[in-house]
Amino acid sequence: MATFLYKLGRSAFRRRRLVALLWVALLAVAGVGAATAPTATSSSFSIPGTEAQRAFDLLEERFPGGSADGATARVVFKAPDGQKMTDPANKAKVERTVADLKAGSKEIAQVVDPYAAQAVSKDGSTAYVSVAYKVNGMELSDASRDALKETGEKAQGQGLTVEIGGDALQSMPETGPGEVVGVVIAGIVLVITFGSLVAAGLPLLTAIIGVGIGVATITALASALDLGSTTSTLAMMIGLAVGIDYALFIVSRYRAERAEGREKEEAAGRAVGTAGSAVVFAGLTVVIALVGLAVVNIPMLTKMGIAAAGTVVIAVLIALTLIPALLGFAGDKVIGRKQRKALADGATDGQGAKEAEKGKGGKEGKPNAGTRWARFVLRRPLLVLLVGVLGLGAIAVPAASLEMGLPDDGVKPTSTTERRAYDLLSDGFGPGFNGPLLLVVDGDKAAADQAVSAIKGLDGLAFVTPPTPNKAGDTSMITVIPKDRPSSAATEQLVHDIRDATGDNVLVSGATAMNVDFSQKMNDALLPYLALVVGLAFLLLMVVFRSVLVPLKAALGFLLSVVAALGAVVAVFQWGWLGGVFGVEQTGPIMSMMPIFMVGVVFGLAMDYEVFLVTRMRESYVHGARPGEAIVDGFRHGARVVGAAAVIMIAVFSGFIGSSEQMVKMIGFGLAVAVLFDAFVVRMAIVPAVLALLGHAAWWLPKWLGRVLPNVDVEGEGLVTAGAPAGATHQGSGSEATEKELVSHRR
């Protein structure tokens, strides 16, 4: 592996013009494809295998043209103090609004007059118009949403309080300047890390090119493959994250090789051969995590995972080819002034690094922060381990109270019309009115009446409407209004109670039941997903590190950081701790996909840091260092880079906390704290402490397993012999033979 990548890096360096031209051409082709492709609509949302989905499918079959899963909106009116919505003047205003709604969009299936449907509160202060669309909320056009908003604004100007709720206003959350701020902070961190604008610019430039190619390709294929307009969201987030990380790792290693006095082309080849090997396997772990989302069996989530995995593959290829090509153009401009001066003074054959580290008077300078920290951990490994584990364990405690669900309009800021409409309906009709349940009875009128009798008297039920049969009389719809708000535990229990009280011919559906089923499906998929991702990554890391305990430690550390991050999310968004600091106006259940989403994203980034940091330790160990020396060497070369990469990711994810959308805010907070815990507590503290306590045992591998596992030479053993031609290796069977000799020598 290392030898092949070494040759690839040197080849890209020599043919830099061709390589750069190919990537620019690929970006242009993808851009043209995206610009000329048909506009993609949001792909249909379905949850195969759930009762709510079966109910929707049955409605589509038995109530043709009814748009059972179509988007809905409620235009809520409140009369001024002292007036009622039944007053003739106010009634005339509402009827004009009904007429405007009917003429506002071709996607509207039905507009229900509140006076005909008795949708007026008992005190007469509130009324609402129900609007049903032919397509679901994700497929609804922007023109229809705009027409709905304009109608509401027009009605508002007639002296009534008018607010609009429902999933018809559902759109892609706006995150504000979060991404831009994240990129700006990334640039600042890179400049501080490298001390060179050119070196800082390379990771940003290549990450943007990679994301551009990936997102443009997804856009170009979205209509043909029914990817939908939301598929590129995850690809953009992950592509930007890993693109910066991978380029950062290789540029950093190139600078280190130049500091050792190697020529530019040789330094580029060795950087790709060593750090590039870590990038390849780190990328594979991310791809495993993203493609593994298919086990959840939600088509939209599967498509998002595969698309994001493709963007990660592009980021890896760019790091292995475009980075060395751009290093060829940049030359020594990617190196800091002190190091350039040392090289200009003729420091070669390993003297460059020494000269760059010396202080005034020719004395060795103070060790860097990574070295000092590693030595501290080696002196007190047990203390560091206990503090890290107990600290994360304490933060993880709230995760035991995790309640999953999907946020509704009740958790949106009070500045939004959806939240104000939600509150008006709750005040006028009761909190459960915002989350009606739809029962579908597969049977005649007698079966429907029996279902109504079975559920009457259940706890948490406000009232039940009479059955509405289809034309054939073989299927009926029943609407059930809960007493409590849609996202409450009481409403979820009511869904389960109705299903227990009725037979197999009665299916509970509606947006609230769909959310309950979605949460259950995500919860059921969590353990299989964890087993698949962690299991495959464990096998992959065994190949990388040729060790059993190092991959085990990596997986357990990751689980600890994710559970701690979930604990922090529960404390803030479910319990309300520090909610005011993060702009949480209403606590509620944690988004159903949050645990799986965090596992997929954070696992990939965590393995990036693990592979880059520990591969350098492994490299040092295989080349003759003792276990403690290898840990120090890994931190001396890798801690600054891993720390910078983590700070960049924390900045990028923190930018999403400022969003007005509760879901986006939660995702940004959860990912930011997860990276914080994993990078700075697990990778920087717990990992070296465990390795220090294990000593030589950390790199133990049974002989039979060593013969079975392929030797991919990630540590670059084939590149060790100074001055040897590319591809030269030591005698014996690769790094495995070298390990035996070194361990024997150390003993």
Side-chain angles (χ1 to χ4, degrees):
M1 172 69 78
T3 303
F4 168 76
L5 294 178
Y6 166 82
K7 294 177 180 178
L8 179 64
R10 294 195 62 169
S11 178
F13 186 95
R14 287 196 304 270
R15 298 174 175 81
R16 47 189 173 272
R17 290 180 177 82
L18 176 60
V19 172
L21 181 62
L22 287 175
W23 280 110
V24 171
L26 186 57
L27 177 61
V29 170
V32 171
T36 57
T39 302
T41 59
S42 296
S43 58
S44 58
F45 180 76
S46 63
I47 312 177
T50 61
E51 180 173 321
Q53 186 62 50
R54 293 200 305 273
F56 278 130
D57 295 340
L58 184 61
L59 284 174
E60 286 290 336
E61 177 187 343
R62 304 287 177 85
F63 288 82
S67 302
D69 61 345
T72 59
R74 282 175 171 173
V75 182
V76 187
F77 299 84
K78 184 173 177 59
D81 292 340
Q83 298 182 24
K84 292 187 177 182
M85 291 306 304
T86 52
D87 294 344
N90 291 334
K91 186 175 181 179
K93 295 173 183 177
V94 173
E95 289 174 343
R96 282 198 296 271
T97 302
V98 170
D100 291 341
L101 286 169
K102 290 180 178 178
S105 172
K106 295 180 180 179
E107 292 180 318
I108 287 181
Q110 185 182 28
V111 179
V112 181
D113 187 308
Y115 303 102
Q118 299 182 346
V120 181
S121 62
K122 290 182 180 179
D123 61 4
S125 65
T126 310
Y128 68 89
V129 177
S130 294
V131 184
Y133 289 85
K134 299 175 183 177
V135 295
N136 63 44
M138 301 183 69
E139 297 174 328
L140 195 65
S141 67
D142 290 337
S144 294
R145 289 194 182 94
D146 293 340
L148 177 63
K149 294 176 183 177
E150 289 170 5
T151 303
E153 292 170 358
K154 181 179 178 181
Q156 182 84 40
Q158 299 176 6
L160 299 174
T161 298
V162 183
E163 305 295 348
I164 304 174
D167 62 349
L169 291 182
Q170 172 183 327
S171 59
M172 285 302 297
E174 297 179 1
T175 56
E179 296 96 329
V180 177
V181 172
V183 171
V184 170
I185 294 176
I188 295 172
V189 173
L190 288 170
V191 170
I192 295 174
T193 302
F194 288 137
S196 164
L197 287 173
V198 175
L202 286 183
L204 290 176
L205 175 62
T206 54
I208 291 172
I209 290 174
V211 169
I213 293 173
V215 173
T217 302
I218 293 169
T219 304
L221 299 175
S223 179
L225 301 180
D226 189 30
L227 297 180
S229 57
T230 61
T231 307
S232 60
T233 304
L234 182 60
M236 185 180 298
M237 179 184 292
I238 301 300
L240 184 63
V242 300
I244 293 176
D245 277 4
Y246 298 163
L248 175 62
F249 296 159
I250 291 180
V251 172
S252 175
R253 187 57 184 257
Y254 173 81
R255 284 159 53 93
E257 295 293 338
R258 286 291 287 143
E260 292 291 336
R262 293 187 175 88
E263 294 298 325
K264 297 173 186 176
E265 183 178 327
E266 176 69 11
R270 286 179 176 263
V272 176
T274 51
S277 298
V279 165
V280 169
F281 284 96
L284 281 175
T285 61
V286 182
V287 169
I288 288 172
L290 293 172
V291 175
L293 290 172
V295 303
V296 183
N297 193 27
I298 295 179
M300 185 184 71
L301 201 58
T302 300
K303 293 175 183 178
M304 290 178 68
I306 293 174
T311 306
V312 172
V313 172
I314 293 173
V316 171
L317 295 176
I318 282 181
L320 299 179
T321 57
L322 185 57
I323 285 292
L326 294 180
L327 288 173
F329 288 114
D332 284 341
K333 292 180 181 178
V334 299
I335 299 175
R337 291 182 179 178
K338 290 183 179 180
Q339 191 173 327
R340 282 205 302 269
K341 186 177 183 301
L343 292 171
D345 291 341
T348 58
D349 298 328
Q351 293 300 315
K354 295 180 181 179
E355 292 295 328
E357 292 179 1
K358 284 184 180 180
K360 293 181 180 180
K363 295 181 180 180
E364 292 292 334
K366 186 172 70 171
N368 62 23
T371 302
R372 297 196 302 273
W373 171 250
R375 289 173 179 169
F376 170 80
V377 174
L378 287 174
R379 290 195 299 270
R380 299 174 179 84
L382 188 58
L383 174 64
V384 172
L385 178 62
L386 289 176
V387 170
V389 172
L390 293 178
L392 291 182
I395 298 173
V397 169
S401 302
L402 174 67
E403 295 178 4
M404 294 198 299
L406 289 179
D408 54 29
D409 289 346
V411 300
K412 291 186 175 181
T414 53
S415 59
T416 62
T417 185
E418 298 99 311
R419 171 62 186 274
R420 292 195 294 266
Y422 182 98
D423 292 340
L424 287 177
L425 287 173
S426 295
D427 295 339
F429 300 90
F433 208 79
N434 285 289
L437 304 176
L438 178 63
L439 274 62
V440 183
V441 182
D442 185 7
D444 56 16
K445 184 178 183 301
D449 292 338
Q450 184 179 357
V452 172
S453 300
I455 62 177
K456 278 185 176 179
L458 290 177
D459 292 337
L461 185 146
F463 67 89
V464 184
T465 65
T468 302
N470 64 348
K471 290 183 179 180
D474 60 354
T475 308
S476 298
M477 292 188 297
I478 302 170
T479 300
V480 175
I481 305 298
K483 288 182 180 178
D484 212 336
R485 58 193 177 94
S487 60
S488 68
T491 299
E492 180 179 349
Q493 185 60 48
L494 176 62
V495 172
H496 295 308
D497 290 344
I498 292 175
R499 287 171 173 170
D500 292 339
T502 56
D504 294 337
N505 65 322
V506 180
L507 304 175
V508 183
S509 190
T512 301
M514 183 70 88
N515 291 348
V516 171
D517 288 350
F518 180 81
S519 300
Q520 186 63 48
K521 193 172 184 68
M522 298 297 290
N523 189 46
D524 293 342
L526 182 58
L527 287 180
Y529 178 69
L530 265 177
L532 174 68
V533 170
V534 176
L536 289 178
F538 179 83
L539 296 176
L540 188 64
L541 292 178
M542 274 206 302
V543 173
V544 174
F545 297 124
R546 299 192 69 78
S547 164
V548 174
L549 297 180
V550 170
L552 180 62
K553 171 262 311 167
L556 293 177
F558 157 73
L559 292 176
L560 180 60
S561 61
V562 167
V563 174
L566 278 175
V569 170
V570 170
V572 173
F573 291 89
Q574 187 175 310
W575 292 359
W577 292 5
L578 299 177
V581 175
F582 297 102
V584 180
E585 296 189 14
Q586 177 69 48
T587 59
I590 304 305
M591 185 176 63
S592 304
M593 65 172 63
M594 194 69 188
I596 281 185
F597 189 78
M598 286 181 62
V599 168
V601 176
V602 178
F603 183 80
L605 294 176
M607 293 306 104
D608 283 355
Y609 307 144
E610 173 78 16
V611 169
F612 186 77
L613 192 62
V614 181
T615 296
R616 197 65 188 252
M617 299 178 192
R618 164 81 180 175
E619 181 180 339
S620 180
Y621 180 79
V622 170
H623 292 168
R626 297 186 65 80
E629 296 170 349
I631 294 172
V632 173
D633 194 50
F635 269 78
R636 178 167 57 249
H637 295 289
R640 183 180 179 88
V641 179
V642 170
V647 170
I648 290 170
M649 289 307 99
I650 292 170
V652 170
F653 294 139
S654 295
F656 293 90
I657 298 177
S659 172
S660 61
E661 291 284 342
Q662 182 90 329
M663 291 173 63
V664 176
K665 189 188 298 287
M666 190 183 299
I667 289 172
F669 176 83
L671 294 181
V673 297
V675 172
L676 174 68
F677 295 157
D678 197 273
F680 292 104
V681 180
V682 174
R683 308 303 152 193
M684 295 289 193
I686 294 178
V687 165
V690 171
L691 291 177
L693 291 171
L694 291 175
H696 289 293
W699 309 105
W700 169 77
L701 184 72
K703 293 182 179 180
W704 65 269
L705 188 56
R707 290 190 294 269
V708 173
L709 292 178
N711 178 21
V712 294
D713 189 23
V714 174
E715 65 276 358
E717 181 62 25
L719 309 177
V720 165
T721 308
T729 59
H730 288 300
Q731 294 179 346
S733 58
S735 59
E736 186 178 355
T738 307
E739 286 178 52
K740 294 177 181 178
E741 296 170 5
L742 290 173
V743 172
S744 176
H745 173 71
R746 283 192 288 264
R747 288 175 179 170

